[in-house]
Amino acid sequence: MTTVTPFQVSGEINYDRLVTDFGCTRISPELLTRFTQVTGHTPHRFLRRGIFFSHRDLDVILDRVEAGLPVYIYTGRGPSSGSLHLGHLVPFVFTKWLQDVLKAVVVIQITDDEKFMWKGLSEQDCDRFAESNIKDIAAVGFDPARTFIFRDFNYVGNMYRVVCQIQSHLTVNQAKGIFGFTDSDHCGKFAFPAVQAAPAACTAFPHLFGGRKDVPGLIPCAIDQDPYFRMSRDILPRLGLPKCAVIHSKFFPGLSGDGKMSSSEGATVFLTDSKASIRSKVGRGFSGGRDTVEEHRRLGANLEVDVSIRYLEFFLEDDDLLARIKADYQAGRILSG
Ligand code: TRP
């Protein structure tokens, strides 16, 4: 059974199926061409390689950018471990690049409240994880003059009006339908979606947008977060605000080759790992290489299942080098090691 919700991702993931079920749109080659025309930048490797693969209203954002009108970028992180892992890095690396090419304000929500309620973290862990995660995120290199990182526990008072506006437009029935909550879930869970939706409204940041009500947010996120923003897109226009746009990524594969890298799984590459430990973990990752050198030379590697190849697709910028490595590996000219 496959599950893709903000609270659980498991099973074999079929991205075409998700696009159909969620009602979002594949990023087409034409849309990427338009991206280049409007911004003057070659699409990021995550776009060239279909890692960010789906969207809602990215074309509307490009129209505004072309017309010289402001947009902003919103993403976030639930601090559930002391260090980010490689998969967590993906939306932030992409958001930093979007900030550079769109010259836009970035807001980053740290949902310490979410992990407090869902993971039952102690207050100390909430504080510790939030602080160290913010450092990992800042290290991605955002423009300090155009970036606002906030923890819900500290900032929520500033956007509480917006939170209440959203809550009053969401019934318990809808929250159950969208998020799968039941009668035995506590009230905090029912209240939380409005907190993650609020930063999709520019009115949540009067100090950044001077009270303007017309600036849309563009939200890079992994596709499991889409339910929050499907909900936001339904409610924001009823508050006289523009719909947010969304751009969805696939999941970063775990070392076993399937599913999603997760902090609790054990075989996780953390940003705090030493180079030697990363080398050893990735070296033990699922390989498409053959059992013996002789067989490998004869048959070549199976690229489809090889974790190292997947990781190169995420992180190796040079398209030609990537193509060469793939061709040589597939032909058995290079070995897994
Ligand atoms: N719920 C997300 C998580 O568990 C954190 C988050 C908050 C987020 N706001 C977001 C992610 C906006 C992407 C976009 O990590």
Side-chain angles (χ1 to χ4, degrees), residues 74-78 109 111 114-115 196 219-221 225 229:
Y74 159 39
T75 192
R77 149 95 188 138
Q109 178 179 46
T111 53
E114 176 188 12
K115 298 305 163 184
Q196 182 156 332
I219 307 171
C221 61
Q225 298 294 309
F229 305 121

